[in-house]
Amino acid sequence: MDKVINAAIIGYGYMGRFHQRKLAGTKGVILTGVFDTDPNRSDEATVEGLTVYETAEDLFNDPAIDLVLICTPNDSHAAYAIAALAKGKHVMCEKPVTMNAKELEDVICAAVASGRKFTTHQNRRWDRDFLAVKKVAESRNIGSPTTIESKVFGQRGVCFGWRALPEHGGGMLMDWGVHLIDQALLMLEGHRVISVRARLMSILTPAVDDYFELSLRFDNQMEYHITVGTFALQPQPRWFMHGDRGTLKIDTFDPHTASMKRIKQDVRGFDSVFEKEHLGPSRTMAPLKPEFIEELVMPITEDLSHEYHRNLVAAINGQEELHVRWDQMLHVMHIIDLAKESSKKNTVLLTQNLYKDGGYEKLFGGLYGIRRSKPASKRAV
Ligand SMILES: NC(=O)c1ccc[n+]([C@@H]2O[C@H](COP(=O)([O-])OP(=O)(O)OC[C@H]3O[C@@H](n4cnc5c(N)ncnc54)[C@H](O)[C@@H]3O)[C@@H](O)[C@H]2O)c1
C-alpha cells in the first residue's frame, strides 16, 4: 500500500481551488497546506482547515509535504519550482510552466538534480472536443487532414488582474495559447514544426496580447492555425478541419456540436453540382448535391478529466511515467518564444534549430544531465 501523498498549494486563487477539488477526488493524495501572499486567501484556507504557512520557505521546509502545486501568476513559477525541488518536493506547476524556454531549462536542471517529479498542468489534453478531433485526424475518416483551425473566443474583452500585465506573464498567448499549442503538438505527434508565424495584438487590453493568431506548418505540410480572442460577439467554430475527402466542424467545446461530412467514394465533385444560389457565375464553388455527401458520426470519448491528477499520484508512487513530459513542455515553450519573436519581427520563422540535437525525445533520453554543463541561454532556437 502506497503512503498517502501530502500536498500543499502555493497560490490559493482560482486554480488553487480547482486543484483542491481535484485532489479531493483523487485517491492517495491529501491537501494539507497553503501559502498565498494575500491574507484574505490565507483566511479562506484556514476556514477550510488547511495549514497556512507564513512564507513559501516555511512550506518548503516542512518535511511532511511531499508535493507542491504552484498556482501563482506565471512569473513566479520558475523560482518557486526550483526552490521546492531543492527541498526534495515533487512539483506540479500551472501552465505556462515558466515565462520562456530558458527558464524551463533551469527548472528541468533542478528537477534532474533533485530526482523528484516535475510536471505542468496541460489539462486540456483531456478535453473531449480535442480528443474527438484527434481521433478523426488519426482515423483518416475525412481523408488526410490538410488544415486544422483551432479557435477560442470570449466576449468580455478583458485580460483581468495580473493577466493584463506583461511582467506577470499576462496575455492570451501565455494563457490559452499554451494549451492550444500543446494540443497541436500532440495532434501532430511524431511530426516536426517547420515554421512559425504569429500576430499578437492588443485590442482592448493595452499592455498585453488580448488577441493572437499563430500558424504552425508541420513537416507533413499540414497547417495548424490557432486563433484566440477575448472580444468576439459573433461565434466561430471551435474547430474546423479540412481533409482531402471531407470536412469536420465543431461549434463549441462540446463534441456533440460536431458535424462531419465526407464525399461519397465514387463521386467526382465536378459531376454533382447542385445549384449556384447567390454565388454568381462560378462552377468551382458551386455546392454538391446533398445525396453525394455522407454525414459521419463523431467519435466521442468518455470523460477523462480526472486523468491528470490520477497520473500525477501514480507517477510519484513510481507506477507510471508522467503524462506531461519535459520534452513536450520544452517544445511548447520554444514555440511560444518563437511566436513572440515572429510577431515582433513581423516575419515567418523557420525552426530547424529546435531539432538540431536530434529532436526533443532524444534530448531527454537520458542526455539532459550532460547538457546541464552548457548554459541554457546558449541553446540556439
Ligand atoms: N490549466 C488551466 O486550465 C488554467 C486555468 C486558469 C489559470 N491557470 C494558471 O494558473 C495560475 C494561476 O491562475 P489563477 O487564474 O488561479 O490566478 P488567481 O489570480 O485567481 O490566483 C493566483 C493566486 O496567487 C496568489 N499569489 C500571487 N502572487 C503570489 C506569490 N508570489 N506567492 C504566493 N501567492 C501569490 C494570489 O494572491 C492569488 O490568490 C496561472 O499560472 C494561470 O496561467 C491555468
Side-chain angles (χ1 to χ4, degrees), residues 6-10 59-60 65-70 80-81 84-85 89-93 312 316:
N6 287 327
I9 288 175
I10 303 190
L59 187 161
F60 300 144
I65 298 299
D66 307 299
L67 167 66
V68 177
L69 297 102
I70 300 169
Y80 277 144
L85 288 161
K89 311 299 181 195
H90 302 290
V91 171
M92 188 240 64
C93 194
L312 178 61
I316 290 171

Side-chain angles (χ1 to χ4, degrees), residues 8 13 29 36 52 197 280 312 345 357 372:
V29 62
D36 197 298
V52 172
R197 182 183 61 79
L312 178 61
K345 294 182 174 165
D357 293 337
R372 286 180 64 208

Side-chain angles (χ1 to χ4, degrees), residues 18 23 30-31 48 59 89 113 136 150-151 159 180 201 222 280 304 320 329 331 340 352:
F18 172 91
L23 294 178
I30 183 167
L31 178 67
E48 296 274 329
L59 187 161
K89 311 299 181 195
V136 173
S150 167
K151 298 184 177 180
C159 295
L180 304 187
M201 291 179 67
M222 254 282 280
L304 295 171
E320 292 180 18
M329 291 152 64
H331 204 176
K340 288 180 182 172
Q352 64 269 32

Side-chain angles (χ1 to χ4, degrees), residues 10-19 35-39 41 56 70-77 80 94-96 121-124 160-163 168-169 174-175 179:
I10 303 190
Y12 194 52
Y14 180 77
M15 285 313 285
R17 291 282 191 160
F18 172 91
H19 287 288
F35 168 66
D36 197 298
T37 45
D38 181 343
R41 295 285 158 88
I70 300 169
C71 306
T72 51
N74 305 334
D75 57 317
S76 53
H77 292 180
Y80 277 144
E94 260 306 338
K95 50 57 48 184
H121 188 220
Q122 294 294 170
N123 49 313
R124 290 194 176 274
F160 52 91
W162 58 264
R163 281 179 178 75
H168 287 303
M174 295 288 273
D175 197 306
H179 285 304

